[in-house]
Amino acid sequence: MTSAVRHLTEAGFLGKFYIDGEWRKPTGLATAIVVNPAIEQPVAEIALGDDEDVDCAVVAARKAFTGWSRKPAAERAALLDRVHGLLLDRLELFAQAITCEMGAAITYARRAQVPLAAEHIRVARDNLATYPFIATRGSTAIMREAIGVCGLITPWNWPLYQITAKVAPALAAGCTVVLKPSELSPLSALLFAKVMDDAGCPPGVFNLVNGTGPVVGTGLASHPQVDMISITGSTRAGVLVAQAAAPTVKRVAQELGGKSPNIILPDADLSRAVPLGVAAAFRNLGQSCSAPTRMLVSRSQMAKVEILAAAAASELVVGDPLAESTTHGPIANPPQFERIQAMIGIGLEEGAKLVIGGPGRPNDLQVGFYARPTIFSNVNRDMRIAQEEIFGPVLSIIPYDTVDGAVEIANDTVYGLGAHVQGTDIETMQAVAGQIRSGQVHLNYPDWDPNAPFGGYKRSGNGREYGREGMEEYLETKAVLGFYR
């Protein structure tokens, strides 16, 4: 038993929800088992909510909304500041929870999963301090006001990061929230609820109800007293949530699937562009919606790129996520492991060239949902491995003949979440970036920017997260004419 599970067990939180400032038992008896993907063994049992639990949390959030939304911005920022500090103080506890619940290497959990999650809190706090909630347009006042009660649905792949990316801007805007984390990775969410409680969050401002998508997710989406839903998940899940929300005409913000391209321009430094492209594609073992899993390469450079890509992938250390030498742990859960294995098989059937990896576990790993980092080359743009989101360590190298052709291939997908462009001529890269239909474009692997808005075109969703735009998703616009005389 890890220290995180022991902490939650001893506190009695595994079988409870956090509603109206209290840890409460669920109304029903449904539970779910949390499985450690590294050992394929149960490590915890959590309660699952029902419609009555959802209603209880929504009522608490609605009751708290008026008071919280009228708090001075400085008071809301002060709460976020306390949350930020506590989260960093408990970094190791959160890292262990994330490693236990979804298999992230402990080194990666410590340096990325938790610190980047904390950054969303800091950014929301800082943006709140300077945001103009009232602006002047002639004699009219343009007011930005909290939209109301928000249902937040988060995924299993970045469990804490996605929570803070939604909770922090929503609270900064003056909204109250009901969080439904993934039932597959709920441990870090329960620890976060404890942070909110210890930070002195007013009752009802933050609420947590564990549960499944069809029950708790749909319950939040269809609830008439919920003003907005923000979901991060698969495109299929996003569609179902939008359908459930439609009768109540609530706002729905969706951050969904992706099949992001990485265009390696002919003048790029391949010795840098290719290894970093492999690392980006396999970040979090490819379990990231914006992972650049399509590498577009000039046809004349394919042979060299294959060699560089294989060398980069061979340096990855897949194994026990608690080992300091491990760079990549197991796939987070059995369904995702099976999906990855199936798609690798499809790539072979479609005739793609296997550069490295392939089906099955790494040879020395017999237990755990471990997948082999896999690279295909000579991938045709129409192949399923080039079109479908695999959500695992599978990279497709696709040849192009002209830069215009590369842009066409990059846009030839139903998704539009992220994209990368590598080269040496900044004007060319900027021009290519302007033609790609996606919510973000990264030029030459820049540092992550928590203030850069993130979201999708097409079936990758709508709305934006992160930074100022992320907070504005939780605001309504009111015009008061004749306000100024």
Side-chain angles (χ1 to χ4, degrees):
M1 182 183 294
T2 67
S3 60
V5 174
R6 185 180 303 110
H7 177 82
L8 291 168
T9 301
E10 291 175 352
F13 296 157
L14 289 173
K16 296 180 180 178
F17 307 140
Y18 186 75
I19 298 175
D20 205 15
E22 298 177 347
W23 291 94
R24 299 187 182 182
K25 292 183 177 180
T27 58
L29 300 176
T31 62
I33 300 298
V34 180
V35 174
N36 183 329
I39 58 175
E40 300 184 47
Q41 293 295 320
V43 292
E45 184 176 12
I46 63 162
L48 296 179
D50 57 21
D51 287 342
E52 189 173 342
D53 297 306
V54 170
D55 190 63
C56 183
V58 171
V59 167
R62 175 59 60 191
K63 181 177 65 175
F65 171 67
T66 300
W68 178 249
S69 63
R70 293 178 180 175
K71 291 279 189 186
E75 289 191 32
R76 300 202 298 271
L79 173 64
L80 293 174
D81 186 62
R82 295 192 296 273
V83 171
H84 180 254
L86 287 171
L87 200 156
L88 291 178
D89 288 345
R90 301 174 189 179
L91 186 149
E92 182 62 24
L93 193 64
F94 276 103
Q96 290 188 24
I98 292 168
T99 296
C100 178
E101 67 189 353
M102 57 79 59
I106 190 67
T107 52
Y108 191 70
R110 288 169 180 156
R111 78 170 190 271
Q113 289 265 6
V114 182
L116 299 186
E119 277 294 277
H120 289 310
I121 304 287
R122 181 193 63 80
V123 166
R125 177 200 68 192
D126 293 351
N127 285 333
L128 176 57
T130 59
Y131 189 79
F133 287 94
I134 300 180
T136 303
R137 189 176 300 167
S139 63
T140 297
I142 309 298
M143 298 181 176
R144 305 302 301 274
E145 299 179 342
I147 193 169
V149 174
C150 299
L152 310 179
I153 302 172
T154 56
W156 50 259
N157 59 321
W158 287 83
L160 179 64
Y161 177 96
Q162 289 293 344
I163 287 172
T164 59
K166 297 182 189 298
V167 170
L171 297 189
C175 296
T176 55
V177 305
V178 179
L179 170 67
K180 190 211 89 66
S182 171
E183 69 277 18
L184 299 177
S185 56
L187 305 180
S188 52
L190 290 166
L191 290 174
F192 183 76
K194 181 65 164 59
V195 163
M196 294 300 299
D197 189 56
D198 290 346
C201 182
V205 170
F206 170 87
N207 306 273
L208 179 148
V209 178
N210 278 315
T212 65
V215 177
V216 174
T218 299
L220 284 171
S222 61
H223 201 290
Q225 291 300 312
V226 172
D227 301 290
M228 174 181 171
I229 289 287
S230 177
I231 176 174
T232 296
S234 68
T235 298
R236 176 181 174 277
V239 169
L240 293 173
V241 164
Q243 290 173 336
T248 52
V249 200
K250 57 172 59 71
R251 183 181 298 175
V252 179
Q254 304 165 311
E255 194 267 282
L256 307 176
K259 193 69 177 177
S260 299
N262 185 1
I263 299 178
I264 312 293
L265 294 173
D267 66 345
D269 177 2
L270 296 183
S271 65
R272 178 179 186 272
V274 175
L276 290 178
V278 171
F282 293 162
R283 180 183 69 250
N284 206 37
L285 213 60
Q287 298 170 127
S288 296
C289 48
S290 61
T293 54
R294 292 185 296 147
M295 183 178 286
L296 280 54
V297 178
S298 175
R299 194 177 300 274
S300 64
Q301 297 176 321
M302 287 286 287
K304 185 175 182 180
V305 167
E306 289 175 4
I307 294 172
L308 291 169
S314 67
E315 294 180 1
L316 304 179
V317 180
V318 178
D320 179 4
L322 292 176
E324 294 291 330
S325 60
T326 295
T327 61
H328 294 70
I331 300 302
N333 53 71
Q336 193 55 39
F337 176 80
E338 294 301 329
R339 161 76 175 168
I340 292 165
Q341 297 303 314
M343 290 304 295
I344 291 174
I346 288 169
L348 293 171
E349 293 171 3
E350 290 180 320
K353 177 183 178 181
L354 182 64
V355 175
I356 193 170
R361 294 176 172 85
N363 293 334
D364 58 339
L365 297 169
Q366 304 305 316
V367 176
F369 307 123
Y370 294 98
R372 301 169 68 189
T374 298
I375 299 176
F376 286 107
S377 187
N378 291 334
V379 175
N380 185 296
R381 64 196 284 184
D382 297 322
M383 292 180 178
R384 287 182 63 186
I385 58 172
Q387 289 292 329
E388 297 182 24
E389 184 178 43
I390 299 172
F391 222 63
V394 182
L395 173 65
S396 295
I397 302 177
I398 304 172
Y400 67 81
D401 295 305
T402 66
V403 173
D404 286 344
V407 172
E408 182 182 346
I409 295 170
N411 288 331
D412 184 20
T413 169
V414 298
Y415 299 111
L417 189 56
H420 290 246
V421 181
Q422 320 306 325
T424 55
D425 183 78
I426 187 62
E427 291 185 357
T428 300
M429 289 191 294
Q430 290 170 343
V432 170
Q435 297 175 67
I436 296 175
R437 300 284 293 170
S438 67
Q440 277 194 352
V441 182
H442 298 236
L443 306 183
N444 283 341
Y445 308 113
D447 292 337
W448 177 70
D449 181 0
N451 272 298
F454 178 72
Y457 287 27
K458 300 184 282 187
R459 295 187 193 176
S460 287
N462 57 71
R464 292 296 180 266
E465 294 189 306
Y466 312 172
R468 180 167 173 160
E469 289 78 7
M471 186 171 72
E472 289 176 336
E473 285 295 325
Y474 298 93
L475 295 172
E476 283 281 24
T477 301
K478 175 189 289 183
V480 182
L481 287 71
F483 187 88
Y484 298 103
R485 296 293 185 184

